[in-house]
Amino acid sequence: MLLLALDTATPAVTAALHDGERVLASFDQIDARRHGELLLPAVDRVFTEAGRDRGELTGVVVGVGPGPYTGLRVGLATASSLGAALGVPVHGLCTLDGIAWASGLDEPFVVATDARRKEVYWATYADARTRTDGPAVDRSSELPSEVAALTAVGAGAVQYGADFPRLRADLPQHQSAAALAALAAERLAAGTGDGFLPPLPLYLRRPDAKVPAGYKVVTPG
């Protein structure tokens, strides 16, 4: 097994190679404005550091969000292109599941990432492997009381810490492709395929850009 994992659904640009037993190489950089510029060099870097070739890949793992429209589609387009070019399957995983896995928690908790507009993308978990609700998007101040009361991890929880009284700011805040790859490797080794999603974006809401209403047509009819 040789998995390439990547994710651009959060401000993190992240890529990793996993051989089914361990992470061979990884790259993480927090830069919400340079997903398109940084991702392919990151992929090249992890292959070089691991001393492996793209022809050895058995699959691509990609975070499908939720996340902002522009950043999210960079990772998905790259994953789909690599999968098609190399003839390997592309496995989608919820981005929040990767952050949950990296937390290592074995108690109920919530993962929250920044969704802008004073909102968070969130999901709840029974433990680091098991999502119980979500993903969803809401204002942090309007989350169900039973969700807000949980142990909370993620950049969204840190940003709106006043709404998460049990915040764990010491745990991972952004996505890590290394965690995403490890989670995928475990699920693939189990042989069930449970938990994978199509490599399609989880936007959860419409994009900010809208077609102007009532604009004047100036070209001849």
Side-chain angles (χ1 to χ4, degrees):
M1 179 188 297
L2 185 65
L3 298 175
L4 169 67
L6 48 91
D7 198 316
T8 57
T10 71
V13 180
T14 180
L17 276 180
H18 197 289
D19 67 359
E21 296 183 359
R22 63 186 180 92
V23 175
L24 303 178
S26 63
F27 173 92
D28 303 278
Q29 183 167 331
I30 309 301
D31 194 330
R33 297 181 180 275
R34 298 175 64 205
H35 290 105
E37 179 181 346
L38 295 172
L39 184 58
L40 283 176
V43 171
D44 287 339
R45 179 172 175 172
V46 296
F47 274 105
T48 299
E49 288 187 2
R52 305 297 287 267
D53 185 84
R54 288 178 180 79
E56 299 177 71
L57 274 185
T58 59
V60 179
V61 181
V62 62
V64 300
Y69 178 79
T70 302
L72 180 53
R73 65 180 180 173
V74 170
L76 286 163
T78 301
S80 295
S81 297
L82 287 170
L86 298 172
V88 297
V90 180
H91 308 286
L93 282 174
C94 175
T95 293
L96 303 181
D97 289 359
I99 299 173
W101 172 271
S103 77
L105 292 172
D106 59 1
E107 63 183 82
F109 65 100
V110 58
V111 172
T113 60
D114 182 22
R116 304 173 185 171
R117 303 184 192 174
K118 299 182 179 179
E119 294 179 332
V120 293
Y121 297 117
W122 64 272
T124 60
Y125 296 81
D127 53 48
R129 291 177 170 83
T130 312
R131 178 157 35 100
T132 55
D133 193 14
V137 59
D138 289 288
R139 284 180 175 263
S140 59
S141 60
E142 298 174 357
L143 289 174
S145 58
E146 64 273 17
V147 173
L150 293 170
T151 296
V153 301
V158 172
Q159 183 169 353
Y160 302 104
D163 297 319
F164 295 95
R166 296 182 62 194
L167 172 65
R168 289 288 304 273
D170 58 310
L171 295 177
Q173 297 180 27
H174 296 288
Q175 176 65 297
S176 160
L180 202 69
L183 176 59
E186 180 178 276
R187 290 179 175 177
L188 287 169
T192 63
D194 290 345
F196 289 114
L197 301 169
L200 300 172
L202 283 174
Y203 290 130
L204 299 189
R205 67 185 184 200
R206 298 183 66 82
D208 293 332
K210 297 181 180 179
V211 176
Y215 61 89
K216 181 184 291 186
V217 178
V218 296
T219 55

